[in-house]
Coordinates of all heavy atoms in Angstrom, one line a residue:
G9 N -10.9 0.4 1.0 CA -10.5 -1.0 0.4 C -10.6 -1.0 -1.1 O -9.7 -1.6 -1.7
A10 N -11.6 -0.3 -1.6 CA -11.7 -0.3 -3.1 C -10.6 0.5 -3.7 O -10.0 0.1 -4.8 CB -13.1 0.4 -3.5
L11 N -10.1 1.5 -3.1 CA -9.0 2.3 -3.6 C -7.7 1.4 -3.6 O -6.9 1.5 -4.5 CB -8.8 3.6 -2.9 CG -9.8 4.7 -3.2 CD1 -9.7 5.9 -2.3 CD2 -9.6 5.1 -4.7
V12 N -7.5 0.7 -2.5 CA -6.3 -0.2 -2.4 C -6.4 -1.2 -3.5 O -5.3 -1.4 -4.2 CB -6.3 -0.9 -1.0 CG1 -5.3 -2.0 -1.0 CG2 -6.0 0.1 0.1
L13 N -7.5 -1.8 -3.7 CA -7.6 -2.8 -4.8 C -7.3 -2.2 -6.2 O -6.7 -2.7 -7.0 CB -9.0 -3.4 -4.8 CG -9.3 -4.4 -3.7 CD1 -10.7 -4.9 -3.7 CD2 -8.4 -5.6 -3.7
F14 N -7.8 -1.0 -6.4 CA -7.6 -0.3 -7.7 C -6.1 0.0 -7.9 O -5.6 -0.3 -8.9 CB -8.4 1.1 -7.7 CG -8.0 1.9 -8.8 CD1 -8.5 1.6 -10.1 CD2 -7.2 3.0 -8.7 CE1 -8.1 2.4 -11.2 CE2 -6.8 3.8 -9.7 CZ -7.2 3.5 -11.0
F15 N -5.5 0.6 -6.9 CA -4.1 0.9 -7.1 C -3.2 -0.3 -7.2 O -2.3 -0.3 -8.0 CB -3.6 1.9 -6.0 CG -4.1 3.3 -6.1 CD1 -4.9 3.8 -5.2 CD2 -3.7 4.0 -7.2 CE1 -5.4 5.1 -5.3 CE2 -4.1 5.3 -7.3 CZ -5.0 5.9 -6.4
E16 N -3.4 -1.3 -6.5 CA -2.7 -2.6 -6.6 C -2.9 -3.2 -8.0 O -2.0 -3.6 -8.6 CB -3.0 -3.5 -5.5 CG -2.3 -3.2 -4.2 CD -2.1 -4.4 -3.3 OE1 -2.0 -5.6 -3.9 OE2 -2.1 -4.3 -2.1
G17 N -4.2 -3.2 -8.4 CA -4.5 -3.8 -9.7 C -3.9 -3.1 -10.8 O -3.4 -3.7 -11.8
I18 N -3.9 -1.7 -10.8 CA -3.3 -0.9 -11.9 C -1.8 -1.1 -11.9 O -1.2 -1.2 -13.0 CB -3.7 0.5 -11.8 CG1 -3.7 1.2 -13.1 CG2 -2.9 1.3 -10.8 CD1 -4.8 0.9 -14.0
L19 N -1.2 -1.3 -10.8 CA 0.3 -1.5 -10.8 C 0.6 -2.9 -11.5 O 1.5 -3.0 -12.3 CB 0.9 -1.5 -9.4 CG 1.0 -0.2 -8.8 CD1 1.4 -0.3 -7.3 CD2 2.0 0.7 -9.5
Y20 N -0.1 -3.9 -11.2 CA 0.1 -5.2 -11.8 C -0.3 -5.2 -13.3 O 0.4 -5.9 -14.1 CB -0.7 -6.3 -11.1 CG -0.1 -6.7 -9.8 CD1 -0.6 -6.3 -8.6 CD2 1.0 -7.6 -9.7 CE1 -0.1 -6.6 -7.4 CE2 1.6 -7.9 -8.5 CZ 1.0 -7.5 -7.4 OH 1.6 -7.8 -6.2
A21 N -1.3 -4.4 -13.7 CA -1.7 -4.3 -15.1 C -0.7 -3.6 -15.9 O -0.4 -3.9 -17.0 CB -3.1 -3.7 -15.2
L22 N -0.1 -2.5 -15.3 CA 0.8 -1.6 -16.1 C 2.2 -2.1 -16.1 O 3.0 -2.0 -17.0 CB 0.7 -0.2 -15.6 CG -0.6 0.5 -15.8 CD1 -0.5 1.9 -15.2 CD2 -0.9 0.7 -17.3
F23 N 2.7 -2.7 -14.9 CA 4.1 -3.1 -14.8 C 4.2 -4.5 -14.3 O 4.7 -4.8 -13.2 CB 4.7 -2.1 -13.8 CG 4.5 -0.7 -14.1 CD1 3.7 0.1 -13.3 CD2 5.2 -0.1 -15.1 CE1 3.5 1.4 -13.5 CE2 5.0 1.2 -15.4 CZ 4.2 2.0 -14.6
P24 N 3.7 -5.5 -15.0 CA 3.8 -6.9 -14.5 C 5.2 -7.4 -14.2 O 5.5 -8.0 -13.2 CB 3.1 -7.7 -15.5 CG 3.1 -6.9 -16.8 CD 3.1 -5.5 -16.3
D25 N 6.1 -7.1 -15.1 CA 7.5 -7.6 -14.9 C 8.2 -6.8 -13.7 O 8.9 -7.4 -13.0 CB 8.3 -7.4 -16.2 CG 7.8 -8.3 -17.3 OD1 7.3 -9.4 -17.0 OD2 8.0 -7.9 -18.5
G26 N 7.9 -5.6 -13.6 CA 8.4 -4.8 -12.5 C 7.9 -5.3 -11.2 O 8.6 -5.4 -10.2
M27 N 6.6 -5.7 -11.1 CA 6.1 -6.2 -9.9 C 6.7 -7.6 -9.5 O 6.9 -7.9 -8.4 CB 4.5 -6.3 -10.0 CG 3.9 -5.0 -10.1 SD 4.2 -3.9 -8.7 CE 3.2 -4.6 -7.5
K28 N 7.0 -8.4 -10.6 CA 7.6 -9.7 -10.3 C 9.0 -9.5 -9.7 O 9.4 -10.1 -8.8 CB 7.8 -10.5 -11.6 CG 6.5 -11.1 -12.1 CD 6.7 -11.8 -13.4 CE 5.5 -12.4 -13.9 NZ 5.7 -13.1 -15.2
R29 N 9.8 -8.5 -10.3 CA 11.1 -8.2 -9.8 C 11.0 -7.7 -8.4 O 11.9 -8.0 -7.5 CB 11.8 -7.2 -10.7 CG 12.3 -7.8 -12.0 CD 13.2 -6.8 -12.7 NE 12.6 -5.5 -13.0 CZ 11.9 -5.3 -14.1 NH1 11.7 -6.2 -15.0 NH2 11.4 -4.1 -14.3
M30 N 10.0 -6.9 -8.1 CA 9.9 -6.3 -6.7 C 9.6 -7.4 -5.7 O 10.2 -7.4 -4.6 CB 8.7 -5.3 -6.7 CG 8.6 -4.5 -5.4 SD 7.3 -4.9 -4.3 CE 6.0 -5.5 -5.2
M31 N 8.7 -8.4 -6.1 CA 8.4 -9.5 -5.2 C 9.7 -10.3 -4.9 O 9.9 -10.8 -3.8 CB 7.4 -10.4 -5.8 CG 6.0 -9.8 -5.7 SD 4.8 -11.0 -6.3 CE 3.7 -10.0 -7.2
I32 N 10.5 -10.6 -5.9 CA 11.7 -11.3 -5.7 C 12.7 -10.6 -4.8 O 13.3 -11.2 -3.9 CB 12.4 -11.6 -7.1 CG1 11.5 -12.6 -7.9 CG2 13.8 -12.1 -6.9 CD1 11.9 -12.8 -9.3
S33 N 12.8 -9.3 -5.0 CA 13.7 -8.5 -4.1 C 13.2 -8.5 -2.7 O 14.0 -8.5 -1.7 CB 13.9 -7.1 -4.6 OG 12.7 -6.3 -4.5
V34 N 11.9 -8.5 -2.5 CA 11.3 -8.5 -1.1 C 11.6 -9.8 -0.4 O 11.9 -9.8 0.8 CB 9.8 -8.2 -1.2 CG1 9.1 -8.6 0.1 CG2 9.5 -6.8 -1.5
L35 N 11.6 -10.9 -1.2 CA 12.0 -12.2 -0.6 C 13.4 -12.2 0.0 O 13.6 -12.9 1.0 CB 11.9 -13.3 -1.6 CG 10.4 -13.7 -2.0 CD1 10.5 -14.7 -3.1 CD2 9.7 -14.3 -0.8
G36 N 14.3 -11.4 -0.5 CA 15.6 -11.3 0.0 C 15.8 -10.4 1.2 O 16.9 -10.3 1.8
M37 N 14.8 -9.6 1.5 CA 14.9 -8.6 2.6 C 14.7 -9.3 3.9 O 13.9 -10.2 4.0 CB 13.9 -7.5 2.4 CG 14.1 -6.6 1.2 SD 12.7 -5.4 1.0 CE 13.0 -4.4 2.5
P38 N 15.4 -8.8 4.9 CA 15.2 -9.3 6.3 C 13.8 -8.9 6.8 O 13.2 -7.9 6.4 CB 16.2 -8.6 7.1 CG 17.0 -7.7 6.3 CD 16.5 -7.8 4.9
S39 N 13.2 -9.8 7.6 CA 11.9 -9.6 8.1 C 11.8 -8.3 8.9 O 10.7 -7.6 8.9 CB 11.4 -10.8 9.0 OG 11.3 -11.9 8.2

Side-chain angles (χ1 to χ4, degrees):
L11 284 171
V12 167
L13 289 175
F14 169 76
F15 284 114
E16 280 204 32
I18 204 75
L19 286 175
Y20 284 102
L22 294 176
F23 311 107
D25 293 329
M27 294 301 287
K28 286 180 183 180
R29 285 192 302 272
M30 189 255 330
M31 285 185 219
I32 291 169
S33 69
V34 166
L35 288 173
M37 292 176 67
S39 295

